[in-house]
Amino acid sequence: MYDFLPHPADAAAIRHDLAQHSMIYNRGMQLRTINGRSFDVQLSVRTVNLNDGPMLVFSFSDRTEAKVMSQLLDFERQLVQRSLNIVKTLKEEGNQNEDEDRLTGVAGMHRLMSAAHAETGRVLRYGGALSILAMALVNAPDMVPKEDDGSAYNHLLRLAASLCLQSIRDSDLVARRGDNAFVVLLPSTDMTGASELARRLITSLRQLTFLYQGVERQAAACVGLSALRADETSPKAMLERLEIALFKAREGGANYVVRLP
């Protein structure tokens, strides 16, 4: 039996313990097959009298199946915990303040609307320009809740939000809409400046890639633009034109920029 112990020290330990206690019960250790494969066992050893002579009796149970079952149970617990985390995240996002988008870190549309009214008031008092930009992702992957926070959909939204934040000035404001789009309010910016930002965003976004269903894909977007007119006293008409411009840009597809000043 000692030939099937992987380490000579194991045989010496068994002999020593038998001399001290006359019995070993359910000791966790390894045995090795004749082909050299090691596997975990619970080993018991005792001396019995048989045919008027002492005999050393070994018995063991293979722990391989129990170990595999334990791993499966651990994996199942991890899946349950992941599902609970997803539910918690979705619940928190559903209850979040509309002034902030928890997923991307940019503003919510409620905050952007308040800023649009405030900037319109500033233009009426002091003059100047006010533009607004909407960038829509045209190839966003499907949302897969079972992939939790690391899904391709959320990853792409975070990348796009980060790109917008890196491309704007401190006075600008980025907000996320629920239709795979981001809106950028541009104080003191005319249509020429807004168009330049649109081109930069589209060019930069094309350099981003994301992994979806095992395939690396290139990000793409279209942009709608509008601006406050001299005779307008609220941002409502500007926002309506922005919606039309974005709709037309979506119809055009990737890299389209539609301006409705």
Side-chain angles (χ1 to χ4, degrees):
M1 188 66 187
Y2 292 139
D3 292 339
F4 297 99
L5 297 174
H7 309 291
D10 293 337
I14 289 175
R15 292 189 182 99
H16 178 270
D17 290 347
L18 283 174
Q20 297 290 325
H21 308 292
S22 74
M23 181 178 179
I24 296 174
Y25 180 72
N26 272 356
R27 173 176 296 180
M29 59 188 309
Q30 284 191 329
L31 293 180
R32 181 174 56 195
T33 67
I34 195 171
N35 296 323
R37 181 181 67 86
S38 297
F39 58 100
D40 295 327
V41 300
Q42 293 292 124
L43 182 71
S44 298
V45 188
R46 64 176 299 181
T47 300
V48 298
N49 291 319
L50 187 64
N51 296 329
D52 297 325
M55 179 173 289
L56 200 57
V57 177
F58 290 79
S59 63
F60 63 88
S61 60
D62 188 346
R63 294 181 56 221
T64 304
E65 182 178 352
K67 186 175 181 180
V68 171
M69 288 300 299
S70 176
Q71 292 173 342
L72 290 175
L73 289 174
D74 287 342
F75 182 64
E76 183 177 358
R77 282 192 291 268
Q78 292 174 11
L79 289 178
V80 171
Q81 187 60 50
R82 175 182 286 186
S83 298
L84 292 175
N85 290 339
I86 293 171
V87 172
K88 180 181 178 181
T89 299
L90 293 176
K91 183 177 179 181
E92 289 176 350
E93 290 183 359
N95 294 334
Q96 69 180 346
N97 191 323
E98 292 182 350
D99 285 345
E100 179 185 356
D101 181 63
R102 190 181 300 274
L103 175 65
T104 61
V106 301
M109 287 302 296
H110 180 269
R111 180 179 166 192
L112 183 127
M113 292 297 295
S114 298
H117 281 278
E119 289 299 329
T120 299
R122 182 190 60 78
V123 171
L124 292 176
R125 289 192 301 272
Y126 306 112
L130 176 63
S131 297
I132 193 164
L133 176 155
M135 181 183 75
L137 301 172
V138 300
N139 63 339
D142 294 332
M143 177 65 177
V144 185
K146 68 181 181 181
E147 293 183 7
D148 69 28
D149 199 44
S151 70
Y153 176 85
N154 287 344
H155 179 63
L156 178 58
L157 286 180
R158 291 193 186 96
L159 287 176
S162 177
L163 176 63
C164 290
L165 290 173
Q166 295 172 28
S167 303
I168 64 172
R169 307 161 301 179
D170 291 341
S171 59
D172 302 334
L173 180 65
V174 181
R176 177 194 167 196
R177 294 194 346 179
D179 54 350
N180 303 329
F182 293 89
V183 180
V184 185
L185 187 67
L186 302 167
S188 304
T189 305
D190 58 16
M191 188 58 65
T192 300
S195 299
E196 178 59 31
L197 175 60
R199 285 191 292 269
R200 291 203 311 269
L201 287 175
I202 286 178
T203 300
S204 299
L205 193 69
R206 285 203 304 264
Q207 300 175 19
L208 300 179
T209 59
F210 60 94
L211 193 65
Y212 181 56
Q213 295 181 344
V215 179
E216 189 176 61
R217 304 191 182 190
Q218 185 181 49
C222 61
V223 172
L225 295 169
S226 187
L228 189 71
R229 294 176 180 174
D231 60 343
E232 292 174 344
T233 58
S234 82
K236 179 180 178 182
M238 177 182 67
L239 294 171
E240 290 174 350
R241 291 193 300 274
L242 180 68
E243 291 297 323
I244 297 172
L246 184 59
F247 177 79
K248 292 181 179 294
R250 287 182 189 272
E251 287 184 329
N255 306 325
Y256 263 71
V257 178
V258 177
R259 305 167 183 82
L260 287 178

